[in-house]
Amino acid sequence: MSQAQIDSSRPPVVELTAHDLPVHCPNPQMEAWSSHPRVYIALDHGVGTCPYCGTEYRLKAGEKIASH
């Protein structure tokens, strides 16, 4: 999991691999002081957003989610 912040006024974007799934927010790289309740993020079309902090989670280019 890598976190890249493009603009400090915007929420961060976290790029994921299929091995990072399932994904939850707050993620392990976030500071404990800014924590909110843990929520699992659904990646619709490879992208999902935390309803609390707005962090965007997206699959890296070429990554595929294995189906059941």
Side-chain angles (χ1 to χ4, degrees):
M1 186 180 314
S2 66
Q3 189 166 355
Q5 191 165 357
I6 298 169
D7 180 349
S8 62
S9 65
R10 296 179 58 185
V13 175
V14 179
E15 290 188 320
L16 308 165
T17 66
H19 297 289
D20 295 323
L21 301 177
V23 64
H24 60 81
C25 194
N27 66 59
Q29 285 79 30
M30 292 180 163
E31 298 287 332
W33 65 266
S34 64
S35 237
H36 55 68
R38 179 181 281 195
V39 292
Y40 286 86
I41 309 297
L43 297 179
D44 298 325
H45 304 287
V47 178
T49 304
C50 176
Y52 287 101
C53 65
T55 298
E56 183 178 295
Y57 294 87
R58 69 172 70 153
L59 286 176
K60 288 184 179 183
E63 287 289 321
K64 302 218 186 299
I65 299 173
S67 58
H68 299 284

